[in-house]
Every structure is written in structure tokens, then in C-alpha cells.
Amino acid sequence: MKKITIAIDGLSSCGKSTMAKDLAREIGYIYVDTGAMYRAVTLFAMLGGMFDGDGKVKTDELRQRMPEINITFRLNVETGRPDTYLNGKLVESEIRSMDVSSHVSRIAALPFVREALVSRQQAMGKEKGIVMDGRDIGTVVFPDAELKIFVTASPGVRAQRRYDELKAKGVQADFAEILKNVEERDYIDSHREVSPLRRADDAIELDNSSMTIEEQKAWLLDKYKQAAGIS
């Protein structure tokens, strides 16, 4: 059976990672969460004091220290999903915080950060058999991917999902703050100079505003079978 590359792009908090993780596990592919990679760089910058009082990035310092950043993924045997490690330390919970969410789009907009991470992502996918999600996978990282999906949902629905996710983890959350963050990230992601968020011309769009997880899984598995030539 031939292996293909699957690129899943879309807006923040629209369930891309959940879809990609579930599909990879179902078909035995490698899964890479590129959003987690940008979040890990953001956490590194925050811990290193590389944001000024106005929330702007100290770009010269971060550029110099990029070689120090090692991001890896290890399978969590309890969840069956990969956890993110920054320089050998488990940071899965830290990178999902609202504090990191409010800073990540600024980091992701930096050309030298994107260049470094895109290079690492392309190296990960050389052998195919990979599911990767993010903002520019189908347009920049894997423009020749056999299957490209672009996921959308309304801002209100995405904010509610993020709110519910945080509350389920016992994290204090404010819906209005989350909605504002979602809308701000949409604007920054789609207006940045390098690799702006956009749907690839050959991507299949999925608006999952009113879909259940099971419906999404079935839809995505069907698209995979079509792209891989599985009857």
C-alpha cells in the first residue's frame, strides 16, 4: 500500500490536531503537530525573557538562540498521543496555556522562526506516511501533499471549544478573553508577511462548526482512502 502525505491546515482552535492525531493513529502514520512546535518556541522565548513590556519579541536575541531549541515528540502510552518536549522537558501542558496562546502568533510571524521550523518539518516528512497539521502545511511545507484539508469553524464555536477544553483540565478560563484571542490570532495568522494562513488551491475545505468528532473522523478517513486509492 502506497504511503502519502496528509496536510491539515486551518484556523486556530478548530480541532485540526484532534483530527490529525486520530487519523494518524487509525492508519498507522506518524503525526506531527506543527502548532506545538511554534508554541514550544514561544515558551522558550517567554522563559528566556525575550518579550518586552509591550509583548513585542526581542528578535535579535531569539534569532541568536534558535540553535539551542530542540523540540521532540514522544508517545504518551496513557493517552496514545504524542506529547511535546522542549530540550528534553515535557511541556505539553505549558504550551497549551492562554499565556502562550496570546504570544504564539507573534513568534510564528517571524521569518527566521518559520524558516527553521519548516526545514525541520520537511525533514520529518521525507519518507511520507505522515499526517501534519498547522497553518502552512499544504501551501509551504508540503505543497505536493497528496491530501490537503483546510478546516474552518465560526469564531464563537472555536472559542467555546477552547473554553471547554481548558475547563476540563481544571484551568481557569474566561470566554470573552478566549474569543478575543481567537479573533486576534485569525487576523495575525492571515495577514503576516511570511507564509500567511490561506487555503491551498487544491485543498478540500471542511467547516466543522456543527459536526461531531465521530462525523469528522468518518469524513476524514473517507478522504484519506480516496487519496490513497483504497477501495
Side-chain angles (χ1 to χ4, degrees), residues 50 57-67 110 112:
M50 284 174 260
V57 186
K58 298 177 182 178
T59 54
D60 289 341
E61 185 176 350
L62 179 57
R63 183 184 288 107
Q64 290 176 357
R65 298 189 62 185
M66 282 296 294
L110 297 173
F112 65 89

Side-chain angles (χ1 to χ4, degrees), residues 73-86:
F73 298 96
R74 300 180 198 171
L75 184 67
N76 183 319
V77 293
E78 292 184 3
T79 65
R81 293 178 174 179
D83 284 336
T84 309
Y85 286 74
L86 172 61

Side-chain angles (χ1 to χ4, degrees), residues 124-191:
M124 292 175 181
K126 278 185 178 178
E127 303 302 318
K128 294 186 178 290
I130 193 167
V131 183
M132 193 173 286
D133 76 274
R135 302 287 194 282
D136 61 352
I137 312 306
T139 54
V140 176
V141 182
F142 296 125
D144 297 323
E146 290 87 348
L147 176 59
K148 300 178 186 178
I149 307 294
F150 190 86
V151 191
T152 71
S154 68
V157 166
R158 289 183 284 134
Q160 187 65 52
R161 288 173 181 168
R162 181 70 175 144
Y163 175 82
D164 292 342
E165 178 186 358
L166 290 171
K167 294 295 284 186
K169 293 178 179 178
V171 179
Q172 289 286 6
D174 177 81
F175 178 81
E177 180 187 359
I178 294 172
L179 178 59
K180 180 182 178 185
N181 175 251
V182 164
E183 292 172 337
E184 286 177 348
R185 288 182 66 188
D186 284 352
Y187 182 84
I188 294 173
D189 290 344
S190 59
H191 287 79

Side-chain angles (χ1 to χ4, degrees), residues 39-57:
R39 285 174 173 272
V41 175
T42 303
L43 180 62
F44 179 86
M46 291 169 64
L47 294 174
M50 284 174 260
F51 285 93
D52 64 22
D54 295 325
K56 294 180 180 178
V57 186

